[in-house]
Amino acid sequence: MSQSAAIYLSGVSKRYGDTLAVDDVCLSVAHGEVFGFLGPNGAGKSTLVEMILGLTHPTAGDIEVLGQPVGSLAARAEVGYLPETFRFHDWLTAFELLHFHARLARVPADARTERVPELLELVGLKDRASDRISTFSKGMMQRVGLAQALVGEPRLVILDEPTSALDPIGRRDVRDRIRELGEQGVTVFLNSHLLSEVEQVCDRVAIIDHGSIVAEGKLDDLLNAQEIELRAGEGAEAAARETLGEGGVRQVNGRLRVRVANDDETARLIRRMVEAGVPVYDVRQVGDSLEDLFVRVAERGDV
Amino acid sequence: MSAHLIAFFTLREALRRRVVLAAALLTLGYLVLYGVGVWFGYRDLQETQDGPPGLTEGVVSLMLVGGLWSLNFIASVLAVFLSVGALSGEVDQGTLHAIAARPVRRGEIVLGKFVGFTLMLAVFIGVSASLMILIVAVITGEIVGGSWAGPFLMLLAAMLLIGLALAGSSRLSPLPNGVIVFTLYATALIGGVIEQIGDVLESAVMFNIGVFSSVLVPTRAMWDMASAQLATGGFAGELSAGPFGASNPPSGWMLLIAFLHLALTLGFALRAFERRDF
């Protein structure tokens, strides 16, 4: 399992005193996958990201990155990381920052001279290459941070909120970069609050809450686990419970809300109701966006 | 190994942030003031014709040792200020995250910073002490300053403080770390004074308190050894006793203790920073 995974976590926990920040997390991100990592504030996202990078040590469990034990130099040599705070030494110019990180990432000298200007152009900072980072706006800092993450030609890129300071055009650019990385076979681990961003670029997502993974899977599968709202005659609720079980059936504003895994389940429910002689007047899908899924998880801790 | 990259980076940061410029300008101002003092002092000394033989050289030597004592103090303050937030401060600010995620050992970050700060202090002590010796030589015509071991011992004192501050910075935030390092530095200073008084009063307890403080933080002991090396002339021993040096310079064992101290503090810094969570 671990050999084929870019990131592999097994029973990972992190405790700070009495607080369990991350609780027995098992997670596997395949090579070349664009993986979205979501969770409300304080859910344990950053702690988990820092553990994957070897910046924070887990209290329990195993982590492998690109087939190497976490924190090993071999693993880190092939990882690019954009920190959430995107705070860099602001006395450096953009050019110097990228050169310094290229050297730390062991990029050979001749490759550095080519790669640094290329990346500055890619993130739209070619004209500001010689300016100190202290003169940059937040958005520019985030863009130079993205270039920094890519400077070592990494096989795995971990982006922590990569577009939080960007305008809509900047966000689109970053989404395009992420898609390109995915197409090039680079694994991307995207930690983001911007659900539309995750929805647009990620193959698979995991949602963490209170330190535990509460949902994980392909985006299509997760989003298909949706609710339908029915306006139906007497006996509808009993029919729903009979067909789909007790969980996931509730009344909202006098209408029946039923959680279904997919469209087939919806069809089965309606067929059952019709067979039971329950009149069905109206059926519509609700909660089919990642935002709804996220809010449900954050509020109730289930999917 | 990436420690040299971190060391070079540390040096460049100090230059770029104008830490070096500020220290250089202030030291230059201090040297001018010192030169004026030496000029007037030497003029008064020449008017005293009835002193014992060797008095002039002894007093000039004392002037230099006094000046170097001040430089040693500035170097110590500089060492603490530079390194007190070098690790924890950068972790708190988030500037070290991207660097520590690179294929760089945590120990290389600690060693790189240690080497960077040490080089900075070496240049500071080397240049300012040389200028001070030159000022004294030009004004008095006396070339004093004794052995070159003096400035090296001054540097060793600064290195001890860098090691101590880095050890603290691997765990503590800059403010509490600064308070602790300065308190220890002051303890060593006061301990030296107590040791001297104990020596004069022949109080074994006071003397031992002083020795204990020197073992705890050997910065003062390094200066005492340095001043013994720096003082020249017939009255060197007597004149260097007092605020600028010990009447009995520490034995060579203190040098061993200093190196042991450095090894311990750096070892702790490496180990603690390796285990630290960001």
Side-chain angles (χ1 to χ4, degrees), chain A residues 14 50 54-57 73 76-77 81 87 89-92 96 100-101 103-106 132 148, chain B residues 5 9 13 16-17 90 93-95 97-106 274-278:
Chain A
K14 179 66 187 177
E50 284 171 3
L55 296 176
T56 291
H57 307 280
L73 295 187
R76 283 194 271 162
Y81 168 49
R87 291 283 298 272
H89 292 90
D90 59 7
W91 49 272
L92 291 169
E96 288 168 341
F100 177 59
H101 276 274
R103 291 190 74 179
L104 288 177
R106 302 170 179 176
R132 284 196 191 189
Q148 170 275 137
Chain B
L5 288 177
F9 188 80
E13 179 170 19
R16 195 70 73 80
R17 282 194 182 280
E90 287 216 39
Q93 283 172 18
T95 48
H97 281 64
I99 293 173
R102 294 285 175 202
V104 180
R105 288 185 186 86
R106 298 265 183 102
E274 188 69 49
R275 292 178 172 189
R276 184 189 167 122
D277 287 336
F278 272 46

Side-chain angles (χ1 to χ4, degrees), chain A residues 221-243:
Chain A
D221 294 343
L222 285 177
L223 295 182
N224 279 340
Q226 58 202 315
E227 275 191 324
I228 52 169
E229 191 174 86
L230 294 113
R231 197 160 62 83
E234 208 173 318
E237 189 169 342
R241 289 187 194 284
E242 193 183 308
T243 314

Side-chain angles (χ1 to χ4, degrees), chain A residues 160-228:
Chain A
D160 204 348
E161 304 286 353
T163 60
S164 57
L166 297 180
D167 56 26
I169 295 170
R171 284 180 185 173
R172 192 194 58 199
D173 287 347
V174 170
R175 283 201 300 272
D176 290 347
R177 295 290 90 74
I178 293 173
R179 281 199 197 95
E180 280 169 22
L181 288 169
E183 284 161 12
Q184 290 161 12
V186 175
T187 310
V188 181
F189 189 90
L190 174 65
N191 187 8
S192 177
H193 276 104
L194 296 168
L195 302 173
S196 61
E197 188 170 278
V198 171
E199 217 164 2
Q200 286 178 59
V201 297
C202 291
D203 305 318
R204 234 159 39 93
V205 298
I207 302 179
I208 187 170
D209 190 36
H210 292 100
S212 300
I213 303 283
V214 288
E216 186 198 345
K218 285 193 171 173
L219 211 48
D220 291 344
D221 294 343
L222 285 177
L223 295 182
N224 279 340
Q226 58 202 315
E227 275 191 324
I228 52 169

Side-chain angles (χ1 to χ4, degrees), chain B residues 208-220:
Chain B
N208 288 337
I209 287 173
V211 172
F212 176 75
S213 74
S214 290
V215 173
L216 190 69
V217 188
T219 46
R220 161 83 191 194

Side-chain angles (χ1 to χ4, degrees), chain B residues 38-39 42 131-144:
Chain B
V38 170
W39 191 79
Y42 186 66
L131 282 174
M132 196 165 264
I133 290 167
L134 191 71
I135 287 169
V136 172
V138 167
I139 293 173
T140 68
E142 303 263 0
I143 296 175
V144 287

